[in-house]
Amino acid sequence: MKIGCFMYASGTFHERLFYCSYRSFKKWHPDIPVIGIKTDLINPDIEMVELPEERSMGMGIKKYALASRAMKEYNLDKIIILGSDTITCGVLDEFIDDNSVDILTTLDYPYAITTDAFNGTGTEHLNADVVCFNSPEAIDLIVERSPSHGHWVEQGGLNEVCYTSKYTNKTVDSPYHQSTVVYNVRSKGNVVASPMTQWEYTNKFIVRDSKLLVPTPTLSAKIKQIKVWHYCEGFGCLDYPTQKERMDYWFTKGFNEDTKKFFKEECDCGDFFDGNFTL
């Protein structure tokens, strides 16, 4: 089976985050190539060049369009898509081992997504930055449908396609309270996007047997291994002073020393978490 991982970073801030996202994924998956766009700071294993029609797309839709094209051009059976603001913290077996489902998804914050094109009431909100596809056609449909979802773009497209189309999907870290793994923002807790609430949970992460864990007493749920950490701070909509302020807070208050040591030693993040955040 041929597998690839597509990652995309644009701008100095996201390229700095990419240092950890790329190195951590390769640490846990040395044989899976990372595919992406080369920049001054980024050298993916397989370099793609944007087509003219892709350059005019919004960032999120473009990422999906490029991932679909990568599957077809490199004859991939499976492609994992990860945002630049992620850190891979273990082997992503839930993605890698399931070849029967078209779309393997992960949970977003615990609220429903509703757009003009999709009423997600009663569904689990799926996050578009940590996802895996066994079908390029499913990605193509998301690209086609995403512009109809306003500011939700590809996240709206992903949720619509998963819940209303012929393509099959499975959420690998659901149901939340029964799952023993977390692949996305629920590692912050079963909470909405409120930073002061999130940090109450994240600075209690524990490291055991080369695994980063969310402890049971913190969340009143099963103990969970964090497979992918995702900041999910909406960094792309913020100016740099605000981006830096949030990252500095994660460095100083959001993660305890054991977690930062885990990122450094087990996820190959080097000196990324030493001191404050710098470009």
Side-chain angles (χ1 to χ4, degrees):
M1 167 159 292
K2 293 182 67 176
I3 307 174
C5 177
F6 188 85
M7 305 176 83
Y8 192 107
S10 177
T12 306
F13 176 78
H14 284 280
E15 289 176 12
R16 176 68 173 126
L17 295 183
F18 189 86
Y19 177 85
C20 272
S21 58
Y22 172 81
R23 290 171 66 93
S24 62
F25 181 82
K26 293 298 291 187
K27 175 67 181 291
W28 292 100
H29 310 88
D31 298 326
I32 297 179
V34 170
I35 305 165
I37 306 296
K38 180 181 170 120
T39 71
D40 291 341
L41 298 176
I42 294 172
N43 287 292
D45 301 315
I46 298 176
E47 179 185 352
M48 294 189 72
V49 177
E50 295 176 13
L51 299 175
E53 58 268 30
E54 292 165 343
R55 294 192 191 104
S56 63
M57 294 177 174
M59 187 62 64
I61 300 176
K62 181 191 302 184
K63 179 170 63 176
Y64 273 55
L66 286 163
S68 173
R69 182 157 65 87
M71 283 195 79
K72 297 167 187 173
E73 289 185 359
Y74 298 104
N75 297 312
L76 301 178
D77 302 295
K78 180 190 297 284
I79 196 161
I80 298 166
I81 299 177
L82 296 177
S84 60
D85 62 334
T86 61
I87 300 175
T88 301
C89 300
V91 177
L92 307 186
D93 355 47
E94 289 78 10
F95 279 170
I96 294 168
D97 295 343
D98 193 327
N99 305 314
S100 62
V101 178
D102 296 318
I103 312 172
L104 296 161
T105 55
T106 59
L107 292 173
D108 204 290
Y109 293 109
Y111 53 78
I113 178 174
T114 301
T115 76
D116 290 341
F118 173 69
N119 182 354
T121 303
T123 64
E124 292 188 294
H125 185 188
L126 308 175
N127 186 278
D129 255 8
V130 183
V131 65
C132 178
F133 291 92
N134 292 311
S135 165
E137 292 77 21
I139 310 178
D140 291 340
L141 182 57
I142 292 170
V143 171
E144 177 186 324
R145 294 299 303 151
S146 291
S148 65
H149 290 278
H151 73 276
W152 288 105
V153 283
E154 80 282 2
Q155 193 134 297
L158 173 69
N159 279 265
E160 178 193 354
V161 169
C162 283
Y163 288 119
T164 67
S165 78
K166 67 179 182 180
Y167 294 104
T168 57
N169 84 286
K170 175 183 177 182
T171 306
V172 300
D173 52 0
S174 173
Y176 175 79
H177 286 285
Q178 281 74 51
S179 178
T180 57
V181 297
V182 60
Y183 263 62
N184 212 307
V185 295
R186 296 291 179 97
S187 54
K188 298 178 178 182
N190 197 33
V191 295
V192 295
S194 172
M196 293 310 296
T197 304
Q198 296 163 11
W199 291 321
E200 292 176 5
Y201 297 123
T202 60
N203 59 25
K204 294 182 175 67
F205 289 165
I206 58 176
V207 177
R208 183 187 303 154
D209 300 326
S210 296
K211 297 178 180 178
L212 185 62
L213 304 172
V214 182
T216 302
T218 305
L219 300 177
S220 300
K222 286 188 176 182
I223 194 167
K224 303 179 191 302
Q225 180 186 1
I226 299 173
K227 291 295 189 81
V228 178
W229 164 259
H230 185 194
Y231 290 100
C232 200
E233 291 280 357
F235 285 130
C237 300
L238 304 174
D239 58 22
Y240 176 66
T242 308
Q243 291 170 337
K244 175 173 169 50
E245 179 183 32
R246 293 196 179 190
M247 285 302 298
D248 284 344
Y249 216 103
W250 281 112
F251 277 35
T252 58
K253 296 185 179 180
F255 300 129
N256 59 38
E257 292 303 315
D258 285 345
T259 299
K260 288 187 281 187
K261 182 179 179 183
F262 177 87
F263 288 152
K264 182 174 186 174
E265 297 181 356
E266 301 291 343
C267 303
D268 203 21
C269 286
D271 63 357
F272 184 82
F273 288 96
D274 294 347
N276 290 332
F277 178 81
T278 57
L279 294 181

